[in-house]
PDB file of all heavy atoms in Angstrom:
ATOM      1  N   PRO A 235       0.827  -1.212   0.000  1.00  0.00           N
ATOM      2  CA  PRO A 235       0.000   0.000   0.000  1.00  0.00           C
ATOM      3  C   PRO A 235       0.862   1.263   0.000  1.00  0.00           C
ATOM      4  O   PRO A 235       1.853   1.355   0.711  1.00  0.00           O
ATOM      5  CB  PRO A 235      -0.812  -0.116   1.299  1.00  0.00           C
ATOM      6  CG  PRO A 235      -0.871  -1.590   1.560  1.00  0.00           C
ATOM      7  CD  PRO A 235       0.471  -2.113   1.094  1.00  0.00           C
ATOM      8  N   GLY A 236       0.481   2.197  -0.854  1.00  0.00           N
ATOM      9  CA  GLY A 236       1.209   3.442  -0.965  1.00  0.00           C
ATOM     10  C   GLY A 236       2.446   3.361  -1.836  1.00  0.00           C
ATOM     11  O   GLY A 236       3.095   4.368  -2.091  1.00  0.00           O
ATOM     12  N   VAL A 237       2.792   2.130  -2.282  1.00  0.00           N
ATOM     13  CA  VAL A 237       4.000   1.956  -3.086  1.00  0.00           C
ATOM     14  C   VAL A 237       3.668   1.335  -4.447  1.00  0.00           C
ATOM     15  O   VAL A 237       3.914   1.936  -5.487  1.00  0.00           O
ATOM     16  CB  VAL A 237       5.058   1.102  -2.344  1.00  0.00           C
ATOM     17  CG1 VAL A 237       6.303   0.894  -3.212  1.00  0.00           C
ATOM     18  CG2 VAL A 237       5.429   1.746  -1.021  1.00  0.00           C
ATOM     19  N   ARG A 238       3.109   0.130  -4.419  1.00  0.00           N
ATOM     20  CA  ARG A 238       2.807  -0.562  -5.675  1.00  0.00           C
ATOM     21  C   ARG A 238       1.894  -1.748  -5.416  1.00  0.00           C
ATOM     22  O   ARG A 238       1.857  -2.289  -4.310  1.00  0.00           O
ATOM     23  CB  ARG A 238       4.088  -1.057  -6.350  1.00  0.00           C
ATOM     24  CG  ARG A 238       4.830  -2.104  -5.540  1.00  0.00           C
ATOM     25  CD  ARG A 238       5.791  -2.908  -6.382  1.00  0.00           C
ATOM     26  NE  ARG A 238       6.578  -3.811  -5.565  1.00  0.00           N
ATOM     27  CZ  ARG A 238       6.165  -4.994  -5.116  1.00  0.00           C
ATOM     28  NH1 ARG A 238       4.956  -5.421  -5.382  1.00  0.00           N
ATOM     29  NH2 ARG A 238       6.968  -5.757  -4.387  1.00  0.00           N
ATOM     30  N   PRO A 239       1.191  -2.196  -6.467  1.00  0.00           N
ATOM     31  CA  PRO A 239       0.436  -3.451  -6.362  1.00  0.00           C
ATOM     32  C   PRO A 239       1.402  -4.629  -6.521  1.00  0.00           C
ATOM     33  O   PRO A 239       2.576  -4.436  -6.821  1.00  0.00           O
ATOM     34  CB  PRO A 239      -0.526  -3.376  -7.558  1.00  0.00           C
ATOM     35  CG  PRO A 239       0.228  -2.564  -8.574  1.00  0.00           C
ATOM     36  CD  PRO A 239       1.033  -1.565  -7.782  1.00  0.00           C
ATOM     37  N   SER A 240       0.898  -5.830  -6.336  1.00  0.00           N
ATOM     38  CA  SER A 240       1.744  -7.007  -6.561  1.00  0.00           C
ATOM     39  C   SER A 240       2.199  -7.024  -8.023  1.00  0.00           C
ATOM     40  O   SER A 240       1.484  -6.560  -8.912  1.00  0.00           O
ATOM     41  CB  SER A 240       0.999  -8.293  -6.209  1.00  0.00           C
ATOM     42  OG  SER A 240      -0.118  -8.451  -7.048  1.00  0.00           O
ATOM     43  N   VAL A 241       3.392  -7.543  -8.245  1.00  0.00           N
ATOM     44  CA  VAL A 241       3.942  -7.647  -9.596  1.00  0.00           C
ATOM     45  C   VAL A 241       3.457  -8.941 -10.239  1.00  0.00           C
ATOM     46  O   VAL A 241       3.093  -8.968 -11.411  1.00  0.00           O
ATOM     47  CB  VAL A 241       5.487  -7.600  -9.555  1.00  0.00           C
ATOM     48  CG1 VAL A 241       6.078  -7.775 -10.952  1.00  0.00           C
ATOM     49  CG2 VAL A 241       5.964  -6.300  -8.916  1.00  0.00           C
ATOM     50  N   ILE A 242       3.472 -10.013  -9.457  1.00  0.00           N
ATOM     51  CA  ILE A 242       2.994 -11.317  -9.924  1.00  0.00           C
ATOM     52  C   ILE A 242       2.054 -11.906  -8.882  1.00  0.00           C
ATOM     53  O   ILE A 242       2.132 -11.556  -7.702  1.00  0.00           O
ATOM     54  CB  ILE A 242       4.164 -12.308 -10.199  1.00  0.00           C
ATOM     55  CG1 ILE A 242       5.018 -12.518  -8.959  1.00  0.00           C
ATOM     56  CG2 ILE A 242       4.992 -11.839 -11.393  1.00  0.00           C
ATOM     57  CD1 ILE A 242       6.059 -13.614  -9.067  1.00  0.00           C
ATOM     58  N   SER A 243       1.207 -12.806  -9.323  1.00  0.00           N
ATOM     59  CA  SER A 243       0.269 -13.463  -8.414  1.00  0.00           C
ATOM     60  C   SER A 243       0.992 -14.516  -7.573  1.00  0.00           C
ATOM     61  O   SER A 243       2.080 -14.971  -7.933  1.00  0.00           O
ATOM     62  CB  SER A 243      -0.856 -14.122  -9.210  1.00  0.00           C
ATOM     63  OG  SER A 243      -0.356 -15.263  -9.904  1.00  0.00           O
ATOM     64  N   GLN A 244       0.358 -14.895  -6.487  1.00  0.00           N
ATOM     65  CA  GLN A 244       0.892 -15.975  -5.645  1.00  0.00           C
ATOM     66  C   GLN A 244       1.050 -17.256  -6.463  1.00  0.00           C
ATOM     67  O   GLN A 244       2.045 -17.957  -6.345  1.00  0.00           O
ATOM     68  CB  GLN A 244      -0.053 -16.255  -4.459  1.00  0.00           C
ATOM     69  CG  GLN A 244       0.021 -15.242  -3.360  1.00  0.00           C
ATOM     70  CD  GLN A 244       1.256 -15.431  -2.481  1.00  0.00           C
ATOM     71  OE1 GLN A 244       2.157 -16.219  -2.769  1.00  0.00           O
ATOM     72  NE2 GLN A 244       1.306 -14.691  -1.405  1.00  0.00           N
ATOM     73  N   GLN A 245       0.060 -17.546  -7.296  1.00  0.00           N
ATOM     74  CA  GLN A 245       0.089 -18.764  -8.106  1.00  0.00           C
ATOM     75  C   GLN A 245       1.276 -18.749  -9.073  1.00  0.00           C
ATOM     76  O   GLN A 245       1.962 -19.756  -9.245  1.00  0.00           O
ATOM     77  CB  GLN A 245      -1.230 -18.902  -8.867  1.00  0.00           C
ATOM     78  CG  GLN A 245      -1.352 -20.196  -9.640  1.00  0.00           C
ATOM     79  CD  GLN A 245      -2.719 -20.317 -10.307  1.00  0.00           C
ATOM     80  OE1 GLN A 245      -3.645 -19.574 -10.036  1.00  0.00           O
ATOM     81  NE2 GLN A 245      -2.816 -21.281 -11.214  1.00  0.00           N
ATOM     82  N   THR A 246       1.534 -17.602  -9.685  1.00  0.00           N
ATOM     83  CA  THR A 246       2.675 -17.480 -10.586  1.00  0.00           C
ATOM     84  C   THR A 246       3.969 -17.700  -9.817  1.00  0.00           C
ATOM     85  O   THR A 246       4.872 -18.411 -10.277  1.00  0.00           O
ATOM     86  CB  THR A 246       2.681 -16.106 -11.286  1.00  0.00           C
ATOM     87  OG1 THR A 246       1.456 -15.955 -12.026  1.00  0.00           O
ATOM     88  CG2 THR A 246       3.855 -15.961 -12.225  1.00  0.00           C
ATOM     89  N   ALA A 247       4.062 -17.115  -8.629  1.00  0.00           N
ATOM     90  CA  ALA A 247       5.273 -17.262  -7.806  1.00  0.00           C
ATOM     91  C   ALA A 247       5.513 -18.721  -7.435  1.00  0.00           C
ATOM     92  O   ALA A 247       6.653 -19.199  -7.487  1.00  0.00           O
ATOM     93  CB  ALA A 247       5.176 -16.401  -6.550  1.00  0.00           C
ATOM     94  N   VAL A 248       4.456 -19.433  -7.091  1.00  0.00           N
ATOM     95  CA  VAL A 248       4.601 -20.856  -6.739  1.00  0.00           C
ATOM     96  C   VAL A 248       5.155 -21.627  -7.933  1.00  0.00           C
ATOM     97  O   VAL A 248       6.061 -22.450  -7.800  1.00  0.00           O
ATOM     98  CB  VAL A 248       3.249 -21.444  -6.250  1.00  0.00           C
ATOM     99  CG1 VAL A 248       3.301 -22.962  -6.181  1.00  0.00           C
ATOM    100  CG2 VAL A 248       2.886 -20.851  -4.887  1.00  0.00           C
ATOM    101  N   SER A 249       4.630 -21.339  -9.130  1.00  0.00           N
ATOM    102  CA  SER A 249       5.137 -22.000 -10.343  1.00  0.00           C
ATOM    103  C   SER A 249       6.600 -21.658 -10.584  1.00  0.00           C
ATOM    104  O   SER A 249       7.380 -22.504 -11.011  1.00  0.00           O
ATOM    105  CB  SER A 249       4.316 -21.584 -11.559  1.00  0.00           C
ATOM    106  OG  SER A 249       2.982 -22.004 -11.427  1.00  0.00           O
ATOM    107  N   LEU A 250       6.976 -20.408 -10.316  1.00  0.00           N
ATOM    108  CA  LEU A 250       8.356 -19.970 -10.561  1.00  0.00           C
ATOM    109  C   LEU A 250       9.361 -20.568  -9.580  1.00  0.00           C
ATOM    110  O   LEU A 250      10.547 -20.634  -9.878  1.00  0.00           O
ATOM    111  CB  LEU A 250       8.440 -18.440 -10.527  1.00  0.00           C
ATOM    112  CG  LEU A 250       7.891 -17.732 -11.749  1.00  0.00           C
ATOM    113  CD1 LEU A 250       7.842 -16.232 -11.514  1.00  0.00           C
ATOM    114  CD2 LEU A 250       8.722 -18.061 -12.986  1.00  0.00           C
ATOM    115  N   GLU A 251       8.897 -21.014  -8.417  1.00  0.00           N
ATOM    116  CA  GLU A 251       9.815 -21.599  -7.435  1.00  0.00           C
ATOM    117  C   GLU A 251      10.571 -22.795  -8.018  1.00  0.00           C
ATOM    118  O   GLU A 251      11.751 -22.980  -7.725  1.00  0.00           O
ATOM    119  CB  GLU A 251       9.064 -21.997  -6.158  1.00  0.00           C
ATOM    120  CG  GLU A 251       8.709 -20.813  -5.305  1.00  0.00           C
ATOM    121  CD  GLU A 251       7.938 -21.179  -4.050  1.00  0.00           C
ATOM    122  OE1 GLU A 251       7.701 -22.388  -3.801  1.00  0.00           O
ATOM    123  OE2 GLU A 251       7.571 -20.248  -3.327  1.00  0.00           O
ATOM    124  N   ASP A 252       9.903 -23.586  -8.858  1.00  0.00           N
ATOM    125  CA  ASP A 252      10.569 -24.728  -9.488  1.00  0.00           C
ATOM    126  C   ASP A 252      11.699 -24.272 -10.417  1.00  0.00           C
ATOM    127  O   ASP A 252      12.739 -24.908 -10.506  1.00  0.00           O
ATOM    128  CB  ASP A 252       9.580 -25.572 -10.292  1.00  0.00           C
ATOM    129  CG  ASP A 252       8.660 -26.399  -9.409  1.00  0.00           C
ATOM    130  OD1 ASP A 252       8.995 -26.624  -8.232  1.00  0.00           O
ATOM    131  OD2 ASP A 252       7.601 -26.823  -9.908  1.00  0.00           O
ATOM    132  N   TYR A 253      11.487 -23.158 -11.123  1.00  0.00           N
ATOM    133  CA  TYR A 253      12.497 -22.633 -12.044  1.00  0.00           C
ATOM    134  C   TYR A 253      13.656 -22.010 -11.269  1.00  0.00           C
ATOM    135  O   TYR A 253      14.809 -22.151 -11.675  1.00  0.00           O
ATOM    136  CB  TYR A 253      11.864 -21.622 -13.010  1.00  0.00           C
ATOM    137  CG  TYR A 253      10.867 -22.273 -13.927  1.00  0.00           C
ATOM    138  CD1 TYR A 253       9.550 -22.474 -13.518  1.00  0.00           C
ATOM    139  CD2 TYR A 253      11.236 -22.731 -15.182  1.00  0.00           C
ATOM    140  CE1 TYR A 253       8.629 -23.097 -14.343  1.00  0.00           C
ATOM    141  CE2 TYR A 253      10.319 -23.356 -16.017  1.00  0.00           C
ATOM    142  CZ  TYR A 253       9.016 -23.542 -15.584  1.00  0.00           C
ATOM    143  OH  TYR A 253       8.111 -24.177 -16.403  1.00  0.00           O
ATOM    144  N   LEU A 254      13.344 -21.380 -10.149  1.00  0.00           N
ATOM    145  CA  LEU A 254      14.387 -20.841  -9.277  1.00  0.00           C
ATOM    146  C   LEU A 254      15.266 -21.979  -8.760  1.00  0.00           C
ATOM    147  O   LEU A 254      16.494 -21.903  -8.829  1.00  0.00           O
ATOM    148  CB  LEU A 254      13.762 -20.080  -8.100  1.00  0.00           C
ATOM    149  CG  LEU A 254      14.688 -19.674  -6.955  1.00  0.00           C
ATOM    150  CD1 LEU A 254      15.812 -18.781  -7.432  1.00  0.00           C
ATOM    151  CD2 LEU A 254      13.886 -18.994  -5.851  1.00  0.00           C
ATOM    152  N   GLY A 255      14.657 -23.037  -8.279  1.00  0.00           N
ATOM    153  CA  GLY A 255      15.415 -24.190  -7.788  1.00  0.00           C
ATOM    154  C   GLY A 255      16.229 -24.842  -8.889  1.00  0.00           C
ATOM    155  O   GLY A 255      17.384 -25.227  -8.684  1.00  0.00           O
ATOM    156  N   PHE A 256      15.636 -24.954 -10.068  1.00  0.00           N
ATOM    157  CA  PHE A 256      16.339 -25.559 -11.196  1.00  0.00           C
ATOM    158  C   PHE A 256      17.524 -24.700 -11.615  1.00  0.00           C
ATOM    159  O   PHE A 256      18.601 -25.204 -11.919  1.00  0.00           O
ATOM    160  CB  PHE A 256      15.378 -25.749 -12.375  1.00  0.00           C
ATOM    161  CG  PHE A 256      16.019 -26.426 -13.549  1.00  0.00           C
ATOM    162  CD1 PHE A 256      16.227 -27.800 -13.538  1.00  0.00           C
ATOM    163  CD2 PHE A 256      16.418 -25.707 -14.652  1.00  0.00           C
ATOM    164  CE1 PHE A 256      16.828 -28.438 -14.614  1.00  0.00           C
ATOM    165  CE2 PHE A 256      17.017 -26.332 -15.728  1.00  0.00           C
ATOM    166  CZ  PHE A 256      17.220 -27.696 -15.714  1.00  0.00           C
ATOM    167  N   ARG A 257      17.343 -23.385 -11.627  1.00  0.00           N
ATOM    168  CA  ARG A 257      18.435 -22.477 -11.972  1.00  0.00           C
ATOM    169  C   ARG A 257      19.621 -22.700 -11.040  1.00  0.00           C
ATOM    170  O   ARG A 257      20.772 -22.723 -11.464  1.00  0.00           O
ATOM    171  CB  ARG A 257      17.938 -21.030 -11.907  1.00  0.00           C
ATOM    172  CG  ARG A 257      18.854 -19.973 -12.508  1.00  0.00           C
ATOM    173  CD  ARG A 257      19.792 -19.281 -11.569  1.00  0.00           C
ATOM    174  NE  ARG A 257      19.203 -18.760 -10.379  1.00  0.00           N
ATOM    175  CZ  ARG A 257      18.790 -17.516 -10.200  1.00  0.00           C
ATOM    176  NH1 ARG A 257      18.880 -16.645 -11.168  1.00  0.00           N
ATOM    177  NH2 ARG A 257      18.301 -17.134  -9.053  1.00  0.00           N
ATOM    178  N   HIS A 258      19.321 -22.902  -9.764  1.00  0.00           N
ATOM    179  CA  HIS A 258      20.388 -23.170  -8.786  1.00  0.00           C
ATOM    180  C   HIS A 258      21.131 -24.465  -9.147  1.00  0.00           C
ATOM    181  O   HIS A 258      22.360 -24.518  -9.096  1.00  0.00           O
ATOM    182  CB  HIS A 258      19.801 -23.269  -7.375  1.00  0.00           C
ATOM    183  CG  HIS A 258      20.802 -23.580  -6.335  1.00  0.00           C
ATOM    184  ND1 HIS A 258      21.685 -22.637  -5.842  1.00  0.00           N
ATOM    185  CD2 HIS A 258      21.088 -24.737  -5.697  1.00  0.00           C
ATOM    186  CE1 HIS A 258      22.476 -23.209  -4.942  1.00  0.00           C
ATOM    187  NE2 HIS A 258      22.128 -24.477  -4.839  1.00  0.00           N
ATOM    188  N   ILE A 259      20.383 -25.485  -9.556  1.00  0.00           N
ATOM    189  CA  ILE A 259      20.998 -26.760  -9.948  1.00  0.00           C
ATOM    190  C   ILE A 259      21.900 -26.566 -11.166  1.00  0.00           C
ATOM    191  O   ILE A 259      23.028 -27.053 -11.201  1.00  0.00           O
ATOM    192  CB  ILE A 259      19.903 -27.817 -10.237  1.00  0.00           C
ATOM    193  CG1 ILE A 259      19.221 -28.220  -8.928  1.00  0.00           C
ATOM    194  CG2 ILE A 259      20.477 -29.034 -10.951  1.00  0.00           C
ATOM    195  CD1 ILE A 259      17.955 -29.030  -9.112  1.00  0.00           C
ATOM    196  N   VAL A 260      21.403 -25.847 -12.175  1.00  0.00           N
ATOM    197  CA  VAL A 260      22.187 -25.623 -13.393  1.00  0.00           C
ATOM    198  C   VAL A 260      23.482 -24.887 -13.063  1.00  0.00           C
ATOM    199  O   VAL A 260      24.540 -25.207 -13.615  1.00  0.00           O
ATOM    200  CB  VAL A 260      21.366 -24.859 -14.456  1.00  0.00           C
ATOM    201  CG1 VAL A 260      22.234 -24.441 -15.635  1.00  0.00           C
ATOM    202  CG2 VAL A 260      20.203 -25.722 -14.943  1.00  0.00           C
ATOM    203  N   ARG A 261      23.401 -23.934 -12.156  1.00  0.00           N
ATOM    204  CA  ARG A 261      24.595 -23.166 -11.794  1.00  0.00           C
ATOM    205  C   ARG A 261      25.612 -23.996 -11.017  1.00  0.00           C
ATOM    206  O   ARG A 261      26.795 -23.661 -11.009  1.00  0.00           O
ATOM    207  CB  ARG A 261      24.207 -21.963 -10.930  1.00  0.00           C
ATOM    208  CG  ARG A 261      23.584 -20.846 -11.700  1.00  0.00           C
ATOM    209  CD  ARG A 261      23.307 -19.687 -10.778  1.00  0.00           C
ATOM    210  NE  ARG A 261      22.966 -18.493 -11.538  1.00  0.00           N
ATOM    211  CZ  ARG A 261      22.681 -17.340 -10.993  1.00  0.00           C
ATOM    212  NH1 ARG A 261      22.708 -17.195  -9.684  1.00  0.00           N
ATOM    213  NH2 ARG A 261      22.377 -16.310 -11.749  1.00  0.00           N
ATOM    214  N   ASN A 262      25.157 -25.046 -10.350  1.00  0.00           N
ATOM    215  CA  ASN A 262      26.041 -25.775  -9.442  1.00  0.00           C
ATOM    216  C   ASN A 262      26.353 -27.212  -9.841  1.00  0.00           C
ATOM    217  O   ASN A 262      27.045 -27.908  -9.115  1.00  0.00           O
ATOM    218  CB  ASN A 262      25.446 -25.743  -8.028  1.00  0.00           C
ATOM    219  CG  ASN A 262      25.453 -24.342  -7.468  1.00  0.00           C
ATOM    220  OD1 ASN A 262      26.495 -23.807  -7.150  1.00  0.00           O
ATOM    221  ND2 ASN A 262      24.285 -23.726  -7.384  1.00  0.00           N
ATOM    222  N   LEU A 263      25.853 -27.656 -10.981  1.00  0.00           N
ATOM    223  CA  LEU A 263      26.139 -29.000 -11.487  1.00  0.00           C
ATOM    224  C   LEU A 263      26.663 -28.907 -12.915  1.00  0.00           C
ATOM    225  O   LEU A 263      26.505 -27.890 -13.579  1.00  0.00           O
ATOM    226  CB  LEU A 263      24.854 -29.841 -11.551  1.00  0.00           C
ATOM    227  CG  LEU A 263      24.300 -30.461 -10.294  1.00  0.00           C
ATOM    228  CD1 LEU A 263      23.026 -31.222 -10.631  1.00  0.00           C
ATOM    229  CD2 LEU A 263      25.281 -31.400  -9.643  1.00  0.00           C
ATOM    230  N   TYR A 264      27.224 -29.973 -13.378  1.00  0.00           N
ATOM    231  CA  TYR A 264      27.534 -30.076 -14.801  1.00  0.00           C
ATOM    232  C   TYR A 264      26.240 -30.339 -15.542  1.00  0.00           C
ATOM    233  O   TYR A 264      25.361 -31.030 -15.049  1.00  0.00           O
ATOM    234  CB  TYR A 264      28.513 -31.229 -15.047  1.00  0.00           C
ATOM    235  CG  TYR A 264      29.860 -30.991 -14.439  1.00  0.00           C
ATOM    236  CD1 TYR A 264      30.280 -31.698 -13.332  1.00  0.00           C
ATOM    237  CD2 TYR A 264      30.723 -30.034 -14.976  1.00  0.00           C
ATOM    238  CE1 TYR A 264      31.524 -31.481 -12.759  1.00  0.00           C
ATOM    239  CE2 TYR A 264      31.965 -29.799 -14.411  1.00  0.00           C
ATOM    240  CZ  TYR A 264      32.365 -30.520 -13.309  1.00  0.00           C
ATOM    241  OH  TYR A 264      33.582 -30.283 -12.756  1.00  0.00           O
ATOM    242  N   THR A 265      26.113 -29.813 -16.744  1.00  0.00           N
ATOM    243  CA  THR A 265      24.849 -29.978 -17.468  1.00  0.00           C
ATOM    244  C   THR A 265      24.520 -31.445 -17.732  1.00  0.00           C
ATOM    245  O   THR A 265      23.360 -31.806 -17.790  1.00  0.00           O
ATOM    246  CB  THR A 265      24.846 -29.207 -18.811  1.00  0.00           C
ATOM    247  OG1 THR A 265      25.976 -29.607 -19.580  1.00  0.00           O
ATOM    248  CG2 THR A 265      24.840 -27.712 -18.594  1.00  0.00           C
ATOM    249  N   TRP A 266      25.547 -32.292 -17.870  1.00  0.00           N
ATOM    250  CA  TRP A 266      25.224 -33.695 -18.155  1.00  0.00           C
ATOM    251  C   TRP A 266      24.613 -34.414 -16.946  1.00  0.00           C
ATOM    252  O   TRP A 266      24.149 -35.520 -17.063  1.00  0.00           O
ATOM    253  CB  TRP A 266      26.435 -34.452 -18.691  1.00  0.00           C
ATOM    254  CG  TRP A 266      27.623 -34.497 -17.779  1.00  0.00           C
ATOM    255  CD1 TRP A 266      27.824 -35.329 -16.711  1.00  0.00           C
ATOM    256  CD2 TRP A 266      28.797 -33.688 -17.867  1.00  0.00           C
ATOM    257  NE1 TRP A 266      29.022 -35.080 -16.119  1.00  0.00           N
ATOM    258  CE2 TRP A 266      29.659 -34.070 -16.819  1.00  0.00           C
ATOM    259  CE3 TRP A 266      29.202 -32.679 -18.724  1.00  0.00           C
ATOM    260  CZ2 TRP A 266      30.895 -33.488 -16.605  1.00  0.00           C
ATOM    261  CZ3 TRP A 266      30.432 -32.102 -18.510  1.00  0.00           C
ATOM    262  CH2 TRP A 266      31.258 -32.498 -17.466  1.00  0.00           C
ATOM    263  N   ASP A 267      24.591 -33.736 -15.801  1.00  0.00           N
ATOM    264  CA  ASP A 267      23.934 -34.303 -14.616  1.00  0.00           C
ATOM    265  C   ASP A 267      22.484 -33.854 -14.480  1.00  0.00           C
ATOM    266  O   ASP A 267      21.821 -34.201 -13.507  1.00  0.00           O
ATOM    267  CB  ASP A 267      24.691 -33.907 -13.340  1.00  0.00           C
ATOM    268  CG  ASP A 267      26.002 -34.664 -13.183  1.00  0.00           C
ATOM    269  OD1 ASP A 267      26.086 -35.804 -13.691  1.00  0.00           O
ATOM    270  OD2 ASP A 267      26.922 -34.115 -12.552  1.00  0.00           O
TER     271      ASP A 267
END
């Protein structure tokens, strides 16, 4: 309030959590894994 509305919905954020976790895996493993 007084600053901005939400940028993304809760549902969108929940879906994005899998991509966030996967990004971490890609950064920390070899791609063949």
Side-chain angles (χ1 to χ4, degrees):
V237 178
R238 64 160 175 81
S240 63
V241 177
I242 58 172
S243 71
Q244 284 283 9
Q245 185 176 348
T246 301
V248 167
S249 297
L250 285 172
E251 285 179 2
D252 286 340
Y253 294 84
L254 169 59
F256 183 77
R257 192 266 310 264
H258 178 77
I259 290 168
V260 171
R261 284 183 168 180
N262 293 289
L263 281 179
Y264 294 108
T265 55
W266 60 80
D267 286 332

